[in-house]
């Protein structure tokens, strides 16, 4: 059999997908719609998938722009060394640039960063120095101070210093911002991103506000970082440690321009990590913990959105570097970040099993005066063992295959018997906020499903199977 070429959507390209080197592949990352995470949101919500960059993060963009500028200015010359204090991702980008352009690369990192990040930098030929996290930036042992010292000691050294380098926000002003505008076809109304150096939010925000001053720029900040307090109260509290990597600061970076930010939302480590795992399981987007922070902030904003709104959440880096952290059940359990399935609500289970409101499954039901034969045909077509019966828009009963079988065995002609004559009591009705525990107590051998009341005369059936599916997902997230 002759096989035709497989055409995935992205390969229906505008131009041939052929490049001189890996740096040319940076950027032009896709917007992917979030159906389940935003199941109850009136607006469209998209993820800007910067974890798909070749170095696995948004930072590939600034690595190229900062090195380009340094070469142009003569700060970096052939045989030179690139030195940077980095949470790993900027290091990956710079290591890619160093590999292609023949520079030596030396990175200093805080010891809270994952081992995978250190190993990945070394794989690209870089040298890595791991420094303590629990010291202030001015301490000589901090990764900022060690980077500064190395710059003084190593000849022909260039320190991009992403925190203060104007080429950092500039990269986003020139690439990420225009991509967001073009790929949303000018419809973007809200942009949500975590803030580390602030380069992403500043550059993107500046570009989008030039295009449309009404676009709202929303920062996501981990509890423990000072940026949330500084934005809202102009105070700088004492920074506390937190576990999310790559975002939040204990000082004010020069690359961060608060004047273009409209709002900053605060997110705990636990919420960040839970949303990171949900993002992977519900949407197939396998990202690092800071993506969870941005998603959690977006979820805070979602109830405020209107149907015409168009929100984009930036997904900064790949989950591959966090297998031993957010994606490790042991690590999640040790840090008390795991969620209990008991906390899930009817609405969340429905979202997980049926997708967004737009793709919500059609309720399969019988009417009071339908024949039992017709009800049986429906049940067989959908492989259901029971059907809800409606009197107009209201639930009136339920019909079960056992009852139908008994009728048939008794020699009744199923076409001559109406559903009304054989139906049992309707499924119990629960509110959308009912917990798994409450629903489980209602679902029994005799009553295999409940109705979730979504609005006036609007019901969704939640079966024992849906519940098991949700619990298995949660058990899977704890055990393997
Ligand atoms: C994983 C991750 N997320 C988000 C960010 C924040 O991006 P920016 O520095 O542009 O604010 C960073 C920055 O280091 C990061 O490493």
């Amino acid at each position: 059999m002759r096989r035709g070429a497989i055409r995935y959507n992205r390969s229906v390209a505008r131009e041939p997908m052929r490049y001189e080197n890996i740096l040319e592949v940076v950027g032009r990352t896709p917007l992917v719609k979030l159906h389940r995470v935003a199941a109850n949101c009136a607006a469209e919500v998209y993820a800007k998938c910067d974890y798909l960059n070749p170095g696995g993060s948004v930072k590939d963009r600034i690595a190229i722009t900062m090195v380009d500028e340094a070469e142009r200015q003569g700060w970096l010359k052939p045989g030179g060394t690139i030195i940077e204090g980095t949470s790993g991702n900027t290091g990956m980008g710079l290591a890619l640039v160093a590999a292609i352009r023949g520079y030596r690369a030396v990175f200093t990192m805080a010891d809270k960063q994952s081992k995978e990040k250190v190993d990945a930098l070394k794989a690209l030929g870089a040298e890595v120095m791991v420094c303590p996290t629990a010291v202030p930036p001015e301490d000589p042992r901090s990764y900022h101070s060690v980077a500064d010292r190395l710059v003084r000691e190593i000849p022909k050294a260039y320190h991009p210093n992403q925190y203060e380098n104007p080429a950092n926000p500039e990269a986003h002003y020139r690439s990420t911002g225009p991509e967001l505008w073009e790929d949303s076809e000018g419809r973007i109304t809200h942009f949500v991103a975590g803030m580390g150096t602030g380069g992403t939010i500043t550059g993107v925000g500046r570009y989008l506000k030039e295009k449309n001053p009404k676009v709202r720029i929303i920062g996501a900040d981990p509890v423990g970082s000072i940026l949330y307090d500084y934005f809202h109260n102009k105070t700088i509290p004492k920074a506390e440690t937190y576990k999310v990597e790559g975002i939040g600061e204990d000082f004010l970076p020069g690359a961060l321009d608060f004047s273009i930010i409209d709002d900053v939302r605060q997110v705990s480590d636990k919420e960040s990590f839970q949303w990171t795992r949900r993002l992977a399981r519900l949407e197939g987007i396998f990202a690092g913990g800071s993506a969870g922070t941005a998603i959690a902030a977006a979820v805070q904003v979602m109830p405020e959105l209107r149907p015409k709104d168009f929100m984009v959440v930036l997904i900064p880096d790949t989950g591959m570097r966090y297998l031993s952290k957010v994606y490790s059940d042991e690590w999640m359990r040790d840090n008390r970040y795991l969620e209990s399935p008991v906390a899930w609500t009817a609405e969340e289970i429905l979202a997980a099993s049926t997708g967004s409101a737009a793709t919500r499954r059609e309720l399969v039901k019988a009417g009071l005066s339908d024949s039992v034969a017709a009800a049986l045909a429906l049940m067989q077509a959908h492989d259901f063992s029971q059907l809800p019966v409606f009197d107009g828009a209201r639930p009136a009963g339920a019909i079960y295959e056992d009852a139908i079988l008994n009728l048939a065995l008794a020699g009744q002609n199923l076409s001559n018997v109406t559903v009304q004559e054989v139906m049992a009591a309707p499924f119990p009705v629960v509110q959308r906020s009912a917990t798994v525990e409450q629903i489980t107590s209602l679902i029994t051998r005799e009553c295999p499903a409940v109705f979730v009341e979504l609005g006036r005369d609007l019901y969704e059936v939640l079966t024992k199977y849906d519940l098991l599916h949700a619990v298995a997902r949660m058990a899977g997230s704890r055990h393997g």
Side-chain angles (χ1 to χ4, degrees), residues 416-433:
N416 296 337
V417 186
T418 63
V419 163
Q420 187 164 208
E421 295 170 64
V422 290
M423 73 184 186
F427 306 142
V429 177
V430 300
Q431 297 306 306
R432 50 171 77 199
S433 57

Side-chain angles (χ1 to χ4, degrees), residues 58-59 87 89-90 117 162 168 172 194-201 245-247 290 316-317 322:
V58 63
K59 295 289 181 171
S87 65
N89 287 324
T90 306
K117 284 185 178 175
Q162 57 171 334
N168 168 3
H172 296 288
M195 300 167 294
T197 65
T200 309
I201 203 161
E245 298 174 36
I247 54 170
S290 66
D317 72 346
Y322 306 91

